[in-house]
Amino acid sequence: MFSERQRVVIIDDNYEEVRPLLFALWQKGISYIYLDGQIENLPEIPYSGVRLIFLDIVIGMENPSDKNKAAPIANVVSKIVGTNPGPYFIVFWTKHDGIIKEVIRYLQSVNISPVGYINLDKPTSSDDDITIDELIQRLEMKLSQLESFNYVLELEGFIEKAVTKFSSNFFSIVPPEGDNTEWSKRVRSVLGKLALAYTEKPELENNENDVRHAFLLLADSLNDSVQQIIKTETFDYKVALSKVALKPEQIAKINTSLFIDFNPDTNLVFGNIFFADHLIDIRLKEAILNDIKPRPDASNDINLVGMIITPACDLANKKYLHNDANCFRILYGLLIPVTKSIYEHRKEADFTTQPFWYPQKEKIYQLIFHFGSLTSIWWKNDEMPPFEFTIKEHLAFDIQSKMANHANRLGNSMIPFS
């Protein structure tokens, strides 16, 4: 369960009392952050990826009530995990359930509650009869109550292991021969070759884009390495998965997390989505509406949208047509709110996404693209519309692939029975 790759935070104003724990984690190669809990020593910016907090329930306070303890302790936690934390777990150093409940209640009131918590006796310097292994076993026995939270830790551990292994293997191609400057020069040459391979250009740009392009090429291979680690590594299988139904909003948010990016690149990239209601002839929107026939209760919140369908390699290498303006391929469709039920629109000329969550609107939406709307548009640099969000690569490629298949279909004239 423990991994050197998860972020562990220990909060205690008495270093000597938690020294055995810190030593145990160090012996096992598990990285941690130790804080004394004093406000002036807390991070200015919350840590990302905190998964486990060992929390001293009394941080420099003398016999306060449970409620008076809860607020400052919860404030310490909020300074560490931030206002939008990922899943994290708390180990409380106390046997007093009343204090724990007050802290949890406070964290719930500000929407940063942990996914779970336990209480544990604090190991102290007097525990001379407890070996390092016994201390870790005691902690792991308690932490086995995390159940499915283990899978969060497993996944993050696999990904970080794949990244480390991939990076080590790749950069070991350049052996550390000669002085430091020679190794650095050879690494820059390797990255330069990757950048040129990615852009298919004869020369480097001599700016940060060169490094970005090299990393993008490496990222394609890294994805395969992550999948290989997941396929081959042994899982710590502790609890069965479930088929229990999820709420529509939860499913929509999952789809957004997997397939939609609401922090789009300001530059034009494959999969970018923009609102097009005021940019093109109104007849296009009317034609798509007539084909899809959305429900009347959704008609007041339907937007015509365009998707950049120009291939990513053409955008990276500027293979698109251009003179005083640039020519891009656009596929149009409708952004439709999901009111009562989802749209099961499955015509050959359409692509309908599953429902996803639109955070700015706080509603569930679907996209329905019409392949008959594919067109080209000319934009100067200052004419490009703002992009609302980006469809991530896998879904964008699926749309592009089905559009190409629709364009290339031959059709047939076989006669049906009826």
Side-chain angles (χ1 to χ4, degrees):
M1 178 183 301
F2 275 115
S3 168
E4 68 273 16
R5 297 177 179 86
Q6 270 85 50
R7 178 157 287 185
V8 179
V9 179
I10 297 97
I11 308 168
D12 198 307
D13 62 349
N14 192 326
Y15 176 81
E16 288 301 318
E17 287 187 357
V18 293
R19 188 162 56 87
L21 170 65
L22 303 182
F23 185 70
L25 298 177
W26 172 71
Q27 284 282 331
K28 295 294 182 180
I30 299 167
S31 60
Y32 61 84
I33 297 171
Y34 168 74
L35 299 168
D36 63 10
Q38 301 305 311
I39 294 296
E40 63 270 18
N41 297 328
L42 296 177
E44 293 183 6
I45 300 175
Y47 299 129
S48 63
V50 172
R51 294 293 174 256
L52 181 61
I53 298 177
F54 292 89
L55 182 60
D56 181 19
I57 207 68
V58 180
I59 306 174
M61 292 182 287
E62 295 294 335
N63 301 318
S65 67
D66 290 354
K67 289 187 178 181
N68 289 336
K69 287 178 182 178
I73 292 171
N75 184 52
V76 169
V77 174
S78 68
K79 290 284 188 179
I80 292 167
V81 301
T83 58
N84 187 30
Y88 71 100
F89 199 89
I90 297 180
V91 177
F92 287 100
W93 295 136
T94 184
K95 287 286 188 179
H96 300 291
D97 290 337
I99 301 175
I100 294 175
K101 289 179 180 178
E102 283 298 320
V103 172
I104 295 299
R105 184 189 63 79
Y106 190 95
L107 294 174
Q108 288 174 341
S109 70
V110 291
N111 298 316
I112 58 170
S113 57
V115 296
Y117 60 90
I118 56 174
N119 62 324
L120 191 67
D121 286 331
K122 184 190 298 185
T124 66
S125 300
S126 62
D127 292 330
D128 295 330
D129 58 331
I130 298 178
T131 67
I132 297 301
D133 286 339
E134 287 171 340
L135 180 55
I136 291 295
Q137 287 173 7
R138 178 190 293 183
L139 293 172
E140 289 194 334
M141 180 180 67
K142 288 285 187 179
L143 292 173
S144 64
Q145 301 173 25
L146 298 177
E147 294 189 343
S148 57
F149 182 62
N150 288 317
Y151 295 143
V152 176
L153 306 183
E154 293 270 21
L155 176 62
E156 292 181 339
F158 286 162
I159 291 174
E160 292 202 26
K161 182 175 183 179
V163 171
T164 302
K165 183 178 180 180
F166 177 85
S167 181
S168 297
N169 289 342
F170 181 80
F171 288 105
S172 65
I173 295 171
V174 182
E177 298 174 354
D179 58 27
N180 295 337
T181 59
E182 285 301 315
W183 183 85
S184 182
K185 287 178 182 177
R186 289 196 293 272
V187 169
R188 293 204 305 271
S189 295
V190 170
L191 294 177
K193 292 288 187 184
L194 295 177
L196 293 174
Y198 181 81
T199 61
E200 299 180 9
K201 293 179 179 179
E203 299 294 337
L204 295 169
E205 297 181 25
N206 293 321
N207 57 37
E208 67 178 32
N209 286 335
D210 293 335
V211 181
R212 193 185 313 279
H213 294 150
F215 286 177
L216 285 170
L217 188 60
L218 288 172
D220 290 337
S221 182
L222 175 59
N223 181 57
D224 292 335
S225 298
V226 172
Q227 293 190 29
Q228 187 62 26
I229 287 286
I230 293 174
K231 291 175 183 177
T232 57
E233 289 288 318
T234 301
F235 280 85
D236 187 13
Y237 186 80
K238 289 187 177 296
V239 60
L241 303 186
S242 171
K243 294 176 63 178
V244 174
L246 299 175
K247 296 179 180 179
E249 183 175 316
Q250 290 177 310
I251 294 174
K253 289 181 176 179
I254 290 170
N255 283 334
T256 293
S257 178
L258 294 174
F259 300 108
I260 309 292
D261 182 1
F262 276 95
N263 295 296
D265 195 319
T266 54
N267 297 317
L268 190 143
V269 299
F270 174 56
N272 271 2
I273 298 293
F274 61 92
F275 288 144
D277 291 281
H278 305 297
L279 299 178
I280 61 171
D281 194 319
I282 187 62
R283 288 175 295 184
L284 176 60
K285 182 177 181 179
E286 292 175 348
I288 299 177
L289 284 169
N290 289 335
D291 180 74
I292 294 174
K293 296 181 175 60
R295 288 184 292 272
D297 58 339
S299 59
N300 292 329
D301 191 20
I302 295 176
N303 291 104
L304 180 70
V305 296
M307 171 183 169
I308 306 299
I309 207 76
T310 302
C313 63
D314 286 8
L315 294 173
N317 303 324
K318 294 187 177 180
K319 293 181 179 178
Y320 46 80
L321 292 173
H322 56 276
N323 43 43
D324 62 327
N326 301 314
C327 183
F328 303 105
R329 279 170 275 180
I330 309 294
L331 181 66
Y332 291 100
L334 298 179
L335 178 69
I336 301 178
V338 175
T339 51
K340 297 179 180 179
S341 59
I342 67 172
Y343 285 85
E344 297 290 352
H345 202 258
R346 292 291 185 269
K347 291 186 177 181
E348 282 189 2
D350 297 333
F351 186 102
T352 303
T353 70
Q354 292 298 327
F356 61 91
W357 182 254
Y358 201 126
Q360 287 85 348
K361 296 177 179 288
E362 295 189 339
K363 290 182 182 179
I364 300 173
Y365 284 83
Q366 283 181 274
L367 284 167
I368 304 180
F369 293 102
H370 196 292
F371 296 145
S373 70
L374 179 65
T375 187
S376 295
I377 191 167
W378 288 88
W379 281 330
K380 294 182 179 179
N381 290 335
D382 59 352
E383 294 176 337
M384 285 192 296
F387 299 113
E388 301 299 321
F389 55 90
T390 300
I391 296 178
K392 293 184 181 179
E393 193 172 75
H394 279 77
L395 180 56
F397 277 139
D398 194 30
I399 296 170
Q400 186 185 59
S401 176
K402 287 183 170 60
M403 182 190 68
N405 183 64
H406 174 76
N408 293 328
R409 75 198 189 287
L410 294 175
N412 66 74
S413 301
M414 295 184 71
I415 302 173
F417 279 135
S418 57

